[in-house]
Structure formats: structure tokens, C-alpha cells
Amino acid sequence: MPTKTSSSSQSQSLLISLLFFCPLVHLTLAGDIAIYWGQNGNEGTLAETCATGKYAYVNIAFLNVFGNGRTPSINLAGHCNPSRCAIASTGIRSCQAQRVKVMLSIGGGSGTYSIASAADARQVADYLWNNFLGGSSTSRPLGDAILDGIDFDIETGPTQNYDLLARYLSAYSTPARKVYLTAAPQCPYPDAHLGPALNTGLFDYVWVQFYNNPLAKCQYGSGSTANLLSSWNQWASTIPATKIFMGLPAAPGAAKTGYIPTNVLTSQVLPAIKSSSKYGGIMLWDKYFDGRNGYSSSVRSSV
């Protein structure tokens, strides 16, 4: 029978082994996949998207009209009536039952939106809370399901006051229900529209768009990963977010530039970025292209 001393010695040895082993575990942790859904009527339903088991986050895209006195409007590209898409509640609940977080993405590459002032930021935050989050309204566009948070995909229009919108939305978080904030900045650093907002440190997940941007600055091109990885390192070491995701086109036709061949992504890019403590996984644009032999199936085990 071991003595008390030998038992203590074994415990200390085990603790030391665990301390040395933990960093190795960190380096091999898998990331997640985020996807944008809502911009093609042929991409399948929200429930079907989550039922694939591929995605940890789904961004419903887009609420592309808001702010400065405008009547907010959501565009789901043929999925349902933009003014009343209550059927989406079934899909949202189905996703959440599978532990998939579902966000409403505001902005997008085309739309009419801006935040004119602090008062306007407050008004937009109140609208989002009451119509998509934990508040109440008689005209909730997606029905009575409660989304997990708001995704900022701000690509056009005036750049001011999105930091205030983030602060007002974050203030709705409670210990019982957190309002998640995510963002999709362009890869040239700092992002022209979201720089001040990201610097608040209030964003949980940031999926940087490493596509449809100048090749010389920050994305993959001409067979070289140098600019892409340099830009990734800058984002990962600078932005005070919980996790950073590499945003990529899901297939060659999903974006004009930035697509990375599968073998390059799995053998060169992912091994280089997964060592970052901020690494969260990859974001794919979008569900329609991913459903047509996109990344999620071929690279899922490598993410």
C-alpha cells in the first residue's frame, strides 16, 4: 500500500504533467464554422442549414435599411415576406436547440443605413432589442423567437456612431441572457466602418472578411499566403474580441477574389493561424455556395 508521502509525490507529478500538457491541448483545439444565410432562396431553410451539423453560428442576412429616421427593413432574398417572416421562428428555435447561435446581421454590401447620432444609436438599439432580441413588439419581423445577438456587417454609408450602437446593445445583456455582438470587418486594417466599434472590446466574435479586398493588402492571391497571414496576425494581436475568425468565400464563385484552394487552406493557412489564442475558426460566405460543394464538408476536420 502506498504511503501518504508517495501518494503526495504522485499527485505533484500528475499536476506538473498536466501543466506541461495543457498548452499542447490548447494548440490542437478545433475551431468552429460560421455561415451567412438568407441571401438566396435556393439555399434551403434555416432549420435545414443547422440540421447539417456543420455550423456553430448562423448570421441571418440582412437588415439592410435602418437608422436616421428610416423605417427598418429586412431583405431575405426570396425566403419570405420581408415585412413579416414569422415562419423563421421555427428555424431559429430549431437551430438553438442544436446549440447553434443565431444572429441578425445588419448592414451588408448594399442597402441604406447609417447611425446619425447618439440618440439615433439608442433608437436603433431599442428597435433591435424589441423586434429581434429579448424585448417585445407587436410586429416582430421574424416572429417571437429570440435571437442570440446582432452581427455588424457595415460596408457602406457614413462610418460614425456604430461604437455607440454596440454599447447600447451590450447594455441589454443580463446574467440570465447575454446579447452576443459579432462583426464582419474588411481585412484592410483598421476597418473604415467598424474600427471604433471594435475597439470598445464588446464584440464576442469577429469574422474578418479576407475576400473582395485588395490582394496586395490582406488576402490570398497569386498562390501566396504572405499578405493573408500577415493581416491575420495583425487582427488577432490587436482587436480585443473573444475570438477571431477567418472569413472566406465558401466556393470559387462566392466572391470575386480571395478564394483559397482547399489543399492550401488545410496544409498552409489553418496550421499557421490555429496557434493563436484568439483563433475561433472560419466564417463562410455563404450558405448557398457552401451547399454547392463548398468548404464546410472538405475542411471541417481541419478547422
Side-chain angles (χ1 to χ4, degrees), residues 15 19 30 40 57 72 87 104-105 130 165 180 193 217 221 256 264 268 286 291-292 296 299 301:
L15 177 61
L19 289 174
N40 193 301
Y57 309 94
I87 192 173
L104 172 69
S105 187
N130 288 320
L165 179 60
Y180 286 87
H193 290 85
K217 288 189 176 181
K256 293 179 180 178
V264 176
Q268 299 179 43
D286 61 354
R292 297 166 64 85
S296 63
V299 307
S301 61

Side-chain angles (χ1 to χ4, degrees), residues 92-108:
I92 293 166
R93 290 195 182 94
S94 176
C95 290
Q96 292 170 333
Q98 297 169 74
R99 298 186 178 182
V100 177
K101 287 185 171 56
V102 186
M103 267 53 94
L104 172 69
S105 187
I106 63 172

Side-chain angles (χ1 to χ4, degrees), residues 21 27 60 187 216 296 299-300:
F21 182 64
L27 290 177
I60 297 177
C187 60
S296 63
V299 307
R300 188 178 175 199

Side-chain angles (χ1 to χ4, degrees), residues 56-98:
Y57 309 94
V58 174
N59 297 314
I60 297 177
F62 295 102
L63 182 83
N64 67 342
V65 177
F66 62 85
N68 200 21
R70 304 178 184 95
T71 299
S73 177
I74 191 168
N75 172 14
L76 293 180
H79 279 282
C80 53
N81 187 320
S83 64
R84 190 68 177 171
C85 190
I87 192 173
S89 278
T90 302
I92 293 166
R93 290 195 182 94
S94 176
C95 290
Q96 292 170 333
Q98 297 169 74

Side-chain angles (χ1 to χ4, degrees), residues 67-69 117-129 165 168:
N68 200 21
S117 63
D120 194 27
R122 168 69 77 182
Q123 187 173 18
V124 172
D126 289 345
Y127 170 81
L128 294 171
W129 169 254
L165 179 60
Y168 289 137

